[in-house]
Every structure is written in C-alpha cells, then in structure tokens.
Amino acid sequence: MSAMYKTIEARLQEAVRGVLPDADVSSVLVRPCADPKFGDYQSNALMGLAKARKLNPRQLATDVAARLNLTDLCERVEIAGAGFLNFHLKRAAVEAALSEAATSGNLFFEKSAHPRTVVVDFSSPNVAKSMHVGHIRSTILGDSLARTLRLLGHRVVTDNHIGDWGTQFGKLLVGWKQHLDPAALQADPIAEMERLYKLVNQLSEADPAVLETARQELVKLQRGDEENLRLWREMIALSQVQFDTVYGRLGVKFDVTLGESFYNSRLQDLVRELRDRNLAVESDGAIVVFFEDIPALKAHPALVQKSDGAANYTTTDLATLAYRLETWQPDEIVYVTDGRQQLHFQQIFAAFRKWQPAARMRLAHVWFGSILGEDGKPFKTRSGETIKLSDLLDEAQERALKTVTEKNPDLPEAERREIARVIGLGAVKYSDLLPNRQSDYVFSWDKMLALNGNTAPYLQYAYARIRSIFRKASLDSQTQDPTVRIRLEAPPEVALARHLLNFGVILEAVAEEYRPNFLCNYLYELAGHFTAFYENCPVLKAEAESRASRLALCDLTARVLRQGLEVLGIETLEQM
Ligand code: ARG
C-alpha cells in the first residue's frame, strides 16, 4: 500500500480544511451521507466552527463552498439545513477511486499519518483455572481491536495480564502438597488444580487450621521460599500450556505476557511514593487514595494496601500502568474486560492521573456485557457448570461439520473438517463481535451457524461465492488486469461502489470507539449490496468492457470481505 494513498473523504476534508486556514481544523470531518439523496459525503463541522467564532453558519458554509476547488471530485457542493456541506461526487471520480483500488494494493483506507503506540490489555485469564466462556469476549474483542489498529498503521503492543498472583496460591499450595493426584495432574493439569483448590477451600471452611496453613504457605511464597516458588512456577507453566492451546486455535497472539506477579517488586515503592506525596493516606490501618474532587468516585476511594500490609489488584494495576508508560511510551492503553470492572478502572485511571499528571496518554476501559443462555440466565452447561472455552470451540466445529457433511458428503473428511473448523470458529467469534459490546447477548448455536442472516458463515459463503465466479471464468489470479477501468452503470453497481468506498471510515470508527460491531454490520451490508448487484448485473455474460469492470467490482468486494473478516480474526475459504 502506498503512503500517498488518499481516500475520497480525506481529499474532501483536506479541501475544506485548506480554505479554513485560521481555524483549528482537526475537528473538520467529512463523512459519507447516511442517505444518498443528500449527496455522497457530508460535513457538519462548519456549524460548530461558526458557533465558536460567532458567525452565521449558513454564511460561513456559503463562503467556504465558494472557495472550494473540487471540480475534479465533485459535480456540486450544496449548502443544506443550518450549514451542512453536502458533496455530490462525479461518477468519474468514484470510478477512478475504484479503478485505482482495483489495480493497486489500496483498499479504501489509509495508513495513519500519525501512528500511535497502543497497548491492548486483553484476555488475561487466571492461572490454575480453565479458560471459560467468560474469557471469550475479552479475547475476541481485544484481538480484533489490536488487528484493526495494526491495519491502520498504529504500533500495537498486545499484553496478556494473566492473574498469576494472589491469595488463591496459599490454598493451591496446600492442595498440591497434601492432596495431589499425580496421574490426574498428568492427564488434565487444569482440572486437577481446580479440584485441589475447591477441595482446600471446602476443608478450610470446615477447619480454621487448614485456612491458617494456607495463609502460612502464602506468606512463604511471598517471602520467596524456594519450594513454594518452584511449585507456583509449575502451576503457571501448566496453565500457560492450556492458554496457548486455546490462543493457537483462535489465532490470537500476544507480544508480551506480563502477569500480575511481574509487578510485585514495584508495589512497595509505589505505595510509599503515594504516601510521601500525600496522594494516599492511612484509613483504618489500610492505605487509601481518596477522590474528593471526582463526584462519581467520592464515595469510592481506592484501596492500595490492605490493613495486613498486602498490596492488591489496584496496586498491581497502577504499577502496570507505570511500567507500560516507561517501557513503550504509549499514546493509548486499552483494557478489555467485562463491565463489572468499571469502577476498578475508573479508580485506576483517576489515581494514576493524580500520581503522574504529566502523562498524556488516553486510557480506555473497553467493557462488555455477559453471554446468556437461551433461558436468559448466565450461559452454563446443562448441569449448571461454567463452559470451558475449549469445549465450546469443539462443539462449534462439530456442529459445523454436521452441516458441511450434509451439504458435501463426497468431500474427503480432512477437507470437511478444515471447512468446519473455519466456519465453526468464525461463527463463535462473529456472534460475539456483532452485538453492541455493552449489551448482554444470548448464545445461540442455530443463529450463529446459520448460512442466512448476519453471521460469519453467511459472509464466508459470500466470499467463497465470489471466488467461484473467478474459478468459473478460469481466472485464477486474484489480481486484476492492471489497465482495468471500472464503469458504473446500473444503480446496484453504484450502490455497491459507494459502500466499498466506506470501508476506511468504518475501520477508523472501529478503532476510535473500540466497536468491531460497526465492521460486522458494514460487511453484512456489503454482502447484501453484492447480492443485489450480482442478481441484477450479468458479470461473466456481459460484453467485454463491462465484464472486466464487473469482475473488478467482484474482486474488490471479495478483497474487502476478506480483509474485513481478517481484522475480526475470522478466516475465509476459497470454496465451501
Ligand atoms: N485477570 C483479570 C480477571 O480475570 C483481568 C485482568 C484485566 N487487566 C488488568 N490490567 N486488570 O478478571
């Protein structure tokens, strides 16, 4: 992709900004019109500018429109309503933008001219526990945000902040030392660790002496006892194997995995500094940061040291933030967790701003709702247990295999399994990304695996269908004739073309608002526009020039579908 590539909205935006030399023009945006009857693109920025400068907005819009030199791109620029600018593109300009994309690597989005460094903290499961369905949203959302940011040219650091420290290790150590079943550990280490934890938990409820032993084991671990450290490391290593298996299946990669324990050595100094600077104070033996100046947090001081002297999740997260700042100088840190941690992150961000007021980076808690069963209650197995992520993925692939086998009984089994893997994993991921992340959603196998509707299989099928057009035409190369000229004639062709042009705007919105669902809906609409086009406009049977142009449109659609699904972490198939 060339660095000089400019999208149409960027060119319009530049033109408007160019005739407003004295204003703060960074807020001047040009966006696609929601309703094509008003034009192709629109800007509402002049109304805000006029207000700030106490000008008449329509007058300002008129002055700006008169100075714009957009004869290469626009048929006309209209002033509408209270001071909107509506841009009506020349058909030739749209055709040129599409032809350019068809013959180059560009695909309607730009690499950022101002790349940001963004740390994405996601997935972050806890050691000695299996990854369950609750981890899927963080993992899938975080991965797709990281992919989108990377595609747009930002520097991304993905960090898996695993839970590898805490009071649970006292009980786990007692369990390991007194009740370990080596054969069970060998067979399924996580299940055995979960059993041990549950067992010691029960025992200590019945017998305070067990609880006391667990406490002592924990203190030994914290003081660096060799035996306990060795066992603790083994628990982490065994858990990491399981995490890695799941990440491997999901195609999720982390640049670093710095768990909570990594920050232990920083905690004492951190608390001391907060105290020395009077940012934290003693309260009933504990050390606390108060937020008198923040109404929402006034009643919620942050505890940074418990009365027994122990640091906690908050202390660790503050140390983590400081480490990230020192190590990567990020412009932005994004935390992807469920909505129950909202208060925690408000406290972390507020405490950090007090502690390091000069730090300018954007801090975002990207939170999400729960996954519900079809009964509307938290999603569980029939016997009421949490669903292991690996079991869920197995079931997705098995269910997909059934459908694939029904449709293509003659394909060799290995091929059917590969298709089912791509469809099954794609379905689970997409159904998780499609809802507004802040709402709960109902997990439904039938819905997510349906070939019709807003699903991954539908989009994967749309992609494979386009690829089959090329196979039918015996055009095996994906790249087009470098001289192809796209001509837009029929209305469905124009509609498809306009939609293709919006890919970059959507990617930007996903990255800006941390909402991959925008992209899901965009791709679904794209598939719809393609269907309308394909049903109304002959492609392979069209006369030569039209045929080449329409094939190029098919190819652009396939490329955008594939690229879009790829940033959602979803694979495509050439044939389904
Ligand atoms: N391990 C935590 C949990 O399971 C999530 C950690 C999220 N990241 C963070 N920096 N606090 O709830």
Side-chain angles (χ1 to χ4, degrees):
M1 162 172 314
S2 82
M4 296 301 292
Y5 180 69
K6 284 248 176 289
T7 61
I8 290 189
E9 64 274 10
R11 286 153 69 191
L12 295 172
Q13 214 158 265
E14 232 161 59
V16 178
R17 290 178 181 184
V19 298
L20 288 164
D22 57 328
D24 170 18
V25 291
S26 60
S27 64
V28 174
L29 297 181
V30 174
R31 288 290 170 256
C33 276
D35 185 342
K37 107 176 160 246
F38 297 118
D40 298 292
Y41 289 83
Q42 181 171 77
S43 180
N44 61 11
L46 298 183
M47 294 179 290
L49 278 185
K51 197 168 170 207
R53 299 196 212 165
K54 302 201 165 41
L55 296 172
N56 174 327
R58 269 194 81 96
Q59 190 56 51
L60 179 65
T62 312
D63 293 346
V64 166
R67 269 180 286 158
L68 284 173
N69 183 2
L70 282 170
T71 44
D72 55 334
L73 281 180
C74 295
E75 211 166 74
R76 65 202 149 91
V77 180
E78 265 171 12
I79 295 130
F84 287 96
L85 285 180
N86 288 342
F87 303 88
H88 296 260
L89 294 182
K90 283 184 171 153
R91 176 70 51 87
V94 178
E95 290 171 340
L98 287 154
S99 304
E100 214 264 74
T103 55
S104 72
N106 298 311
L107 208 55
F108 315 112
F109 64 90
E110 295 172 15
K111 296 275 181 196
S112 172
H114 309 283
R116 301 194 301 273
T117 299
V118 186
V119 177
V120 187
D121 172 323
F122 70 102
S123 195
S124 309
N126 297 320
V127 163
K129 284 196 191 165
S130 59
M131 284 182 82
H132 56 81
V133 64
H135 293 109
I136 196 171
R137 296 204 85 178
S138 174
T139 308
I140 302 303
L141 259 166
D143 182 53
S144 70
L145 294 175
R147 286 168 182 260
T148 307
L149 287 160
R150 278 207 175 106
L151 184 68
L152 294 174
H154 301 293
R155 292 177 289 264
V156 177
V157 180
T158 50
D159 186 357
N160 197 359
H161 190 72
I162 57 172
D164 61 358
W165 197 251
T167 52
Q168 70 272 29
F169 286 100
K171 287 177 184 161
L172 281 163
L173 284 163
V174 173
W176 193 287
K177 288 181 180 179
Q178 299 179 7
H179 308 282
L180 186 69
D181 174 348
L185 188 74
Q186 183 94 38
D188 187 344
I190 305 287
E192 176 60 3
M193 288 191 279
E194 285 184 325
R195 183 189 71 85
L196 291 175
Y197 180 78
K198 269 190 213 146
L199 176 67
V200 178
N201 215 17
Q202 278 166 6
L203 295 176
S204 43
E205 265 163 35
D207 180 358
V210 178
L211 192 62
E212 179 52 25
T213 318
R215 206 190 57 79
Q216 284 167 8
E217 292 293 357
L218 181 67
V219 171
K220 274 168 71 186
L221 174 67
Q222 287 164 339
R223 299 219 170 117
D225 174 83
E226 289 222 0
E227 165 80 352
N228 280 10
L229 274 179
R230 186 179 61 76
L231 296 179
W232 167 71
R233 285 199 195 99
E234 190 168 345
M235 294 181 207
I236 297 176
L238 289 170
S239 306
Q240 192 66 50
V241 171
Q242 187 235 12
F243 300 158
D244 288 342
T245 310
V246 171
Y247 296 139
R249 287 180 78 174
L250 292 173
V252 172
K253 293 198 185 87
F254 291 94
D255 298 308
V256 291
T257 296
L258 299 176
E260 294 177 16
S261 69
F262 180 77
Y263 303 96
N264 283 348
S265 61
R266 301 177 151 244
L267 304 181
Q268 272 192 353
D269 287 352
L270 189 162
V271 174
R272 187 170 319 120
E273 188 188 339
L274 292 179
R275 287 193 75 175
D276 287 350
R277 290 176 45 199
N278 262 331
L279 299 171
V281 294
E282 201 180 312
S283 168
D284 296 328
I287 311 293
V288 173
V289 179
F290 284 100
F291 305 106
E292 293 301 339
D293 46 336
I294 304 173
L297 293 179
K298 222 174 157 165
H300 303 285
L303 190 72
V304 293
Q305 186 177 300
K306 293 187 272 184
S307 48
D308 66 2
N312 64 7
Y313 190 46
T314 300
T315 333
T316 308
D317 254 326
L318 284 172
T320 306
L321 238 171
Y323 175 84
R324 289 174 177 163
L325 181 61
E326 289 161 29
T327 310
W328 298 296
Q329 290 90 42
D331 300 286
E332 189 173 328
I333 305 182
V334 180
Y335 297 82
V336 189
T337 82
D338 75 58
R340 286 170 302 188
Q341 297 197 33
Q342 284 177 82
L343 177 61
H344 169 73
F345 283 104
Q346 284 168 18
Q347 291 175 324
I348 295 296
F349 298 168
F352 187 76
R353 298 288 184 210
K354 278 180 189 271
W355 179 26
Q356 306 208 19
R360 283 278 91 90
M361 76 254 189
R362 178 174 176 185
L363 296 169
H365 181 213
V366 172
W367 59 272
F368 51 82
S370 315
I371 306 184
L372 305 177
E374 303 209 49
D375 57 2
K377 300 208 185 99
F379 189 40
K380 297 251 159 86
T381 62
R382 224 167 274 164
S383 56
E385 282 160 64
T386 48
I387 297 174
K388 282 198 210 156
L389 194 42
S390 53
D391 292 346
L392 187 94
L393 301 181
D394 289 346
E395 183 164 354
Q397 290 178 217
E398 268 156 37
R399 284 177 182 258
L401 182 62
K402 251 184 89 192
T403 325
V404 174
T405 305
E406 274 162 27
K407 285 201 177 272
N408 311 290
D410 302 330
L411 274 185
E413 176 171 339
E415 261 174 67
R416 277 183 285 125
R417 285 200 177 276
E418 173 58 7
I419 297 175
R421 183 188 66 79
V422 173
I423 294 181
L425 297 180
V428 169
K429 288 186 176 191
Y430 192 85
S431 72
D432 200 66
L433 293 169
L434 174 64
N436 170 349
R437 62 178 159 77
Q438 282 155 344
S439 44
D440 298 345
Y441 79 91
V442 174
F443 191 94
S444 159
W445 286 118
D446 291 342
K447 246 198 201 159
M448 75 178 73
L449 284 162
L451 269 179
N452 278 311
N454 196 350
T455 66
Y458 170 75
L459 295 175
Q460 289 167 322
Y461 183 69
Y463 175 80
R465 189 171 60 156
I466 300 177
R467 299 302 305 145
S468 79
I469 299 169
F470 285 85
R471 273 193 303 278
K472 226 188 262 165
S474 309
L475 295 167
D476 35 41
S477 118
Q478 194 123 342
T479 44
Q480 286 292 313
D481 162 9
T483 60
V484 71
R485 300 287 317 147
I486 291 196
R487 296 183 319 185
L488 301 171
E489 289 152 346
E493 247 171 344
V494 178
L496 174 62
R498 285 180 90 247
H499 197 75
L500 283 167
L501 289 177
N502 293 348
F503 187 41
V505 173
I506 295 295
L507 290 172
E508 299 284 348
V510 171
E512 183 58 28
E513 298 188 37
Y514 314 114
R515 293 191 187 277
N517 57 316
F518 294 165
L519 179 56
C520 296
N521 287 313
Y522 169 85
L523 294 175
Y524 178 60
E525 285 164 21
L526 176 62
H529 282 298
F530 181 79
T531 304
F533 155 75
Y534 198 60
E535 280 169 2
N536 289 289
C537 307
V539 175
L540 293 180
K541 295 206 170 86
E543 49 79 30
E545 234 174 284
S546 245
R547 183 177 188 269
S549 163
R550 287 177 177 169
L551 273 170
L553 267 181
C554 290
D555 186 50
L556 281 172
T557 306
R559 279 169 55 198
V560 170
L561 277 172
R562 191 179 50 180
Q563 179 71 81
L565 287 170
E566 192 181 303
V567 294
L568 297 174
I570 297 173
E571 294 174 61
T572 42
L573 294 156
E574 293 299 296
Q575 227 165 330
M576 269 169 79

